[in-house]
Every structure is written in C-alpha cells, then in structure tokens.
Amino acid sequence: MQKRSRLALIAATVCLAASLAGADGVPHAEYIGSVKWRVADPAFGGFSGLDISANGGTFTTVSDRATLWTGSFTRDESGLITSITAEGPHWLRERNGKVLRHTLADSEGLAIAPDGTIYVSFEGVTRVVRYASPDAPAERLPIPAEFRAMQSNSGLEALAIGQDGALYTLPEQSGSLSVPFPVFRFQNGRWDQPFAIPRDGNWLPVGADFGPDGRLYLLERDFWGLLGFLTRVRRFDIGPASATGGEVLIETHAGHHDNLEGIAVWRDAGGDIRITIVSDDNFRFFQSTEFVEYRVRD
C-alpha cells in the first residue's frame, strides 16, 4: 500500500473512532466552538499554559517565552466566546527580580491557587516556580534529582493544582514508548512521585487541570508532520497513590485544531463541565493562537 493511502486510511480510522466516542452512554466531550486571538505585540504567542476563573469569564495564560497575559471573555447567551479583552505581557522574573532570559525562560505549565498565588513549570531548566503576583520575583520550589535527570526540551509541560492544594506535574517524555509518565506531587513542602500514568503510543502530555468534579483532565498531543497536530483529552480519578479511569473525552484527527497546549476545566451556568484549550503558535506566521471549547457529556 502506498504511503499516501496508508495515511488516508489512518486518518479515516481516527475520525471514525472520534465519532464513536460520542455514542449514547459513553462519556465524551462535544465540540462547541473556536475563536482566534490576536494582539499586535511581538511578545504575543507561544501559549502553553492556561487558567480560567470558575465561571469562565476571565483567564490567565503563560507563553513559553516567560510572559503572562490576563484577560476576559465576552460570551453570547449560549456561552460562546464572541470577543477577548487582554492585558499583557507581564514578564516573568528571576529570584533577584530580573526578567527571565534564554534557557531560564522556557515556561510551559500554569496553575493558580485560590489565593491568587501563581505556579509556573519550566522545561529548559526543569523546575517549578511560585509567584505572588504576575510581576513579583520568583520563589523557586525545591528541585528533586528526578527533575535534573529529565530529557532535554522534554521537561515539565503540564502543571495542575488539586482541590487539596497539592501541585501535580509530569514530563512531556517518559524515556520510552513502554515507560509510563511519572507524576510528581508537591505537598507539605516536598516532592514525591505517588503514581504514574500509562503511556499510549506517541501521545505526549502537554497540559493538565483539575476540574470542578475533582478529576484530573490530561491534555495530550501527537504530531503527524505536514498533516498537523492531533489532540486528545483523558480524564482520571486521582487517589493518594493512584490514577484510575483514563477515559478518552476528546480525540481529534490530524489538523483539526492547531497545536493545543494549555487546558482549563470549569463549570458553565447550565451546570455542564467545559474544557477550554489554548494553542501554541510557536511564533510562526502559518500557525494561529485560538481558544477551543468542548462540553463534557457523561
């Protein structure tokens, strides 16, 4: 079979699987809509982490070039985003107050505590940093030996904060297709590794968030070259030393969305759980920054 025919067959299979995921009685998420976001600023772009308020009205997102942007959504009666108002950039800083540069500036994951404390995970020099406000100096959390041993450019992409205040993070690469992704937890001033999430082929974790239902929503990505990016969201029940479930709520074919990297989960006015995802345009003219939204159906 020719290569082009094989790719077409694979794409058709993925589309069929995605449609079957919406069958009655099977938990899934239905697509609501997308909106492009543009700001005339050279620092705009590269968004890889996202936090949204409990009512879906305001947001904070982090770029992989160490900037934070805050803003608000205007929505119509059905809850669709109609416009975006934003403020930024806020440049993330080192512990001495200087703006982050070079390998120190590769920010990826974002989690905001109920008191407004901002946590950011970094990939270049693998670490998690705490900020009292967008313009405050960094407070670096302890760095365990496991962080220092992570693959280059494959560090802590995903960061989430649980309802108990614990931070959860995992690397983009596990080291091998047969090795699960270790999940690290920061609680009571120290890191541990309570469990791992099984790896499924080439799917790689790029974002995470705890929903209002207490479950962990994991955003994953695959890349098929010129065909584009594939997106998947799995949902897990998290215990003190386990992650169970892992049902697939979203799985798209290649090119359906851009490079989705940041995820936030919240509950809308109708009581439904919504998943909002932001794309990383890699600062390339042929990619775009967009917010994509799905509604969870159990």
Side-chain angles (χ1 to χ4, degrees):
M1 184 183 291
Q2 293 182 350
K3 182 177 180 181
R4 183 174 298 176
S5 298
R6 287 199 303 269
L7 291 175
L9 178 59
I10 292 170
T13 303
V14 172
C15 290
L16 176 60
S19 64
L20 290 176
D24 290 343
V26 179
H28 65 285
E30 62 182 18
Y31 174 66
I32 298 175
S34 305
V35 60
K36 297 290 179 65
W37 181 30
R38 300 180 181 89
V39 173
D41 189 307
F44 179 83
F47 297 109
S48 55
L50 179 65
D51 182 272
I52 288 184
S53 60
N55 65 357
T58 60
F59 69 89
T60 302
T61 184
V62 65
S63 164
D64 56 19
R65 293 187 181 176
T67 62
L68 280 176
W69 300 70
T70 59
S72 60
F73 299 120
T74 301
R75 297 178 180 271
D76 63 18
E77 294 181 356
S78 65
L80 291 174
I81 299 172
T82 57
S83 64
I84 302 167
T85 302
E87 176 187 339
H90 299 275
W91 293 91
L92 295 178
R93 301 177 182 276
E94 301 180 41
R95 286 176 288 182
N96 60 9
K98 293 184 178 180
V99 172
L100 289 171
R101 299 294 184 191
H102 308 300
T103 57
L104 290 176
D106 192 2
S107 46
E108 294 288 346
L110 174 69
I112 300 181
D115 66 359
T117 301
I118 301 165
Y119 295 91
V120 179
S121 63
F122 290 81
E123 189 175 55
V125 177
T126 305
R127 67 203 190 278
V128 177
V129 172
R130 177 170 49 215
Y131 294 95
S133 67
D135 301 305
E139 302 172 51
R140 186 177 294 184
L141 302 187
I143 302 177
E146 293 87 346
F147 287 9
R148 302 183 190 277
M150 288 181 181
Q151 292 177 242
S152 176
N153 198 37
S154 299
L156 305 176
E157 283 264 355
L159 183 67
I161 187 166
Q163 294 178 338
D164 60 354
L167 286 171
Y168 293 81
T169 186
L170 66 162
E172 183 182 8
Q173 293 280 359
S174 64
S176 169
L177 290 176
S178 61
V179 176
F181 296 100
V183 176
F184 298 93
R185 176 178 59 193
F186 185 75
Q187 194 173 40
N188 300 322
R190 68 181 188 90
W191 289 99
D192 64 354
Q193 197 251 299
F195 54 83
I197 289 178
R199 180 162 178 168
D200 182 10
N202 291 319
W203 289 105
L204 301 177
V206 291
D209 193 26
F210 279 90
D213 55 359
R215 292 163 165 166
L216 178 67
Y217 291 73
L218 183 66
L219 173 64
E220 297 171 296
R221 173 184 64 191
D222 195 359
F223 181 54
W224 284 9
L226 294 177
L227 291 177
F229 295 92
L230 297 84
T231 296
R232 185 170 78 170
V233 174
R234 287 192 287 169
R235 181 175 63 182
F236 295 88
D237 292 295
I238 301 300
S242 66
T244 57
E247 65 264 33
V248 176
L249 300 178
I250 301 169
E251 185 170 332
T252 72
H253 60 269
H256 186 70
H257 297 304
D258 209 304
N259 178 29
L260 300 184
E261 283 206 16
I263 182 173
V265 185
W266 52 285
R267 195 180 300 277
D268 64 22
D272 293 318
I273 289 180
R274 291 226 192 169
I275 299 172
T276 304
I277 316 174
V278 67
S279 66
D280 175 1
D281 67 355
N282 293 303
F283 293 93
R284 293 172 176 163
F285 73 92
F286 55 86
Q287 291 185 255
S288 64
T289 299
E290 63 177 346
F291 287 100
V292 178
E293 293 199 313
Y294 284 81
R295 179 184 292 111
V296 175
R297 295 300 193 193
D298 284 302

